[in-house]
Amino acid sequence: MPIKLPETLPAFDVLQNEGVMVMGEDRAERQDIRPLRIALLNLMPKKIQTETQFARLIGATPLQIDLHLIRISSHETKNTAAEHMEAFYKPWEDLTEEKYDGLIITGAPVEHLPYEEVTYWDELTRIFEWTQTNVHSTFGVCWGGMAMIHHFHGVPKHMLDEKAFGCFRHQNLAPASPYLRGFSDDLLMPVSRWTEIRQHEVEAVPGLIPLLASDETGPALVKDPDHRALYMFNHFEYDSGTLKEEYDRDVSAGKKIAVPVNYYPHDDPETIPTNRWRSHAHLLYGNWINEIYQTTPFNLDAIGSGHW
């Protein structure tokens, strides 16, 4: 089954040309099936790039997905055209009565700030609490995952002396988890952050279940059954060239930046980077969508009232 997107959204043509199954609203309405309502709270500056990356992953499953794009009500983006935001995004404050089968909360370029100094922190914490009554399953990514695990459990983030940047080996800590169905015992995953969550501080919280972790960069994926959430601290959603874009940007700006680890063939930034995480990215998000489908109530009004 395809993902339902507005036909004028830039991601529609991009994904259709890649072979991802997409459909417009008119065609979707003729199908006698309840699509899964998945929302994306997009905190990244490059909105179009980020929405396309996540739509690609959740649109690759055999289920019909109705994707809703959400923005912080109290923050105006400066990096995406106002026309795009007006056409495709709704402020969260207008959606507080809505129910969703799933919600993805992206990262944000604010990791150097204490959480409480982020200008939209108060609204974001209200969104975290809202997920407990209005969202069946929430997926926090990078800073979004760090912010969630801090809000619900007090797990701190720590600044790194050097940026964790590249593709790092991770271990599968829970092969029997339905979220890791089909996963290898170890795998490569893109990492790009100046902060970390520490394994022993996750393990000290009763109920949290580490699923993926790296000896070099710490925990990557944590399950939080009590809050019906997954916390991912890295970037499975990245395109093949995303780390290159970040590297080239910092080099052009004269910033001190190391060549991303295990990314370019022979660590040569003049070569074309190799994508070695795409299959696991599709597995993870496909497994997440499948678990939502298996457990979410058919009646949307019942979302948030049951168990995960």
Side-chain angles (χ1 to χ4, degrees):
M1 290 289 181
I3 181 172
K4 186 180 82 170
L5 298 174
E7 294 184 31
T8 51
L9 186 73
F12 189 96
D13 288 336
V14 173
L15 300 183
Q16 188 173 57
N17 290 335
E18 292 179 3
V20 176
M21 296 179 65
V22 293
M23 68 160 56
E25 294 182 1
D26 290 342
R27 183 180 172 195
E29 288 175 357
R30 294 196 297 269
Q31 293 198 336
D32 187 19
I33 187 173
R34 179 173 90 72
L36 293 180
R37 301 185 88 224
I38 306 295
L40 175 68
L41 178 63
N42 194 347
L43 306 177
M44 292 297 288
K46 295 182 177 180
K47 297 285 192 280
I48 295 174
Q49 181 187 54
T50 301
E51 69 204 25
T52 302
Q53 289 172 344
F54 283 106
R56 175 181 295 115
L57 294 173
I58 65 174
T61 72
L63 298 170
Q64 186 183 137
I65 306 295
D66 185 6
L67 181 63
H68 296 238
L69 301 177
I70 302 175
R71 64 172 177 85
I72 290 287
S73 306
S74 57
H75 181 76
E76 295 294 331
T77 183
K78 300 176 181 178
N79 299 87
T80 303
E83 294 81 5
H84 183 86
M85 300 302 296
E86 180 66 25
F88 301 114
Y89 281 79
K90 292 185 178 180
W92 172 73
E93 293 284 5
D94 292 350
L95 303 171
T96 56
E97 300 301 317
E98 297 289 327
K99 299 274 186 141
Y100 294 97
D101 299 295
L103 170 68
I104 298 171
I105 301 177
T106 74
V110 293
E111 59 180 337
H112 61 290
L113 294 174
Y115 293 116
E116 293 75 16
E117 292 184 15
V118 175
T119 56
Y120 49 81
W121 180 248
D122 287 346
E123 181 176 350
L124 190 58
T125 58
R126 294 200 302 275
I127 293 173
F128 292 158
E129 292 300 323
W130 168 82
T131 66
Q132 300 306 286
T133 55
N134 289 64
V135 179
H136 181 65
S137 179
T138 306
F139 204 143
V141 178
C142 199
W143 183 84
M146 293 182 177
M148 285 190 73
I149 201 172
H150 170 75
H151 174 73
F152 286 126
H153 300 286
V155 176
K157 62 181 172 70
H158 302 273
M159 291 299 301
L160 296 170
D161 295 331
E162 296 181 354
K163 186 178 184 179
F165 188 46
C167 298
F168 293 85
R169 297 220 71 84
H170 287 71
Q171 291 74 51
N172 182 344
L173 305 180
S177 169
Y179 297 101
L180 302 183
R181 188 178 293 112
F183 266 58
S184 305
D185 294 334
D186 73 346
L187 56 136
L188 281 178
M189 191 186 312
V191 180
S192 179
R193 48 181 164 81
W194 282 96
T195 54
E196 68 176 356
I197 299 294
R198 295 177 178 168
Q199 187 74 21
H200 72 276
E201 292 177 335
V202 171
E203 293 173 345
V205 178
L208 291 182
I209 304 171
L211 301 181
L212 296 173
S214 167
D215 292 337
E216 298 170 278
T217 59
L221 181 64
V222 176
K223 179 182 176 182
D224 182 359
D226 290 344
H227 295 92
R228 303 189 309 280
L230 293 174
Y231 309 131
M232 163 59 75
F233 307 127
N234 300 329
H235 289 287
F236 261 147
E237 80 281 1
Y238 270 9
D239 297 327
S240 300
T242 305
L243 291 176
K244 172 179 168 55
E245 292 173 10
E246 294 182 12
Y247 176 73
D248 290 347
R249 176 199 63 203
D250 288 352
V251 169
S252 297
K255 295 181 179 180
K256 183 180 179 181
I257 183 69
V259 174
V261 174
N262 295 326
Y263 178 57
Y264 293 105
H266 311 295
D267 293 326
D268 180 1
E270 298 301 318
T271 61
I272 298 174
T274 302
N275 189 315
R276 292 180 286 173
W277 63 89
R278 184 183 295 112
S279 58
H280 282 99
H282 280 280
L283 275 174
L284 178 60
Y285 282 89
N287 288 340
W288 179 60
I289 292 295
N290 182 58
E291 283 304 298
I292 292 175
Y293 175 73
Q294 297 290 339
T295 59
T296 194
F298 184 83
N299 182 354
L300 283 168
D301 292 335
I303 285 176
S305 60
H307 298 288
W308 191 41

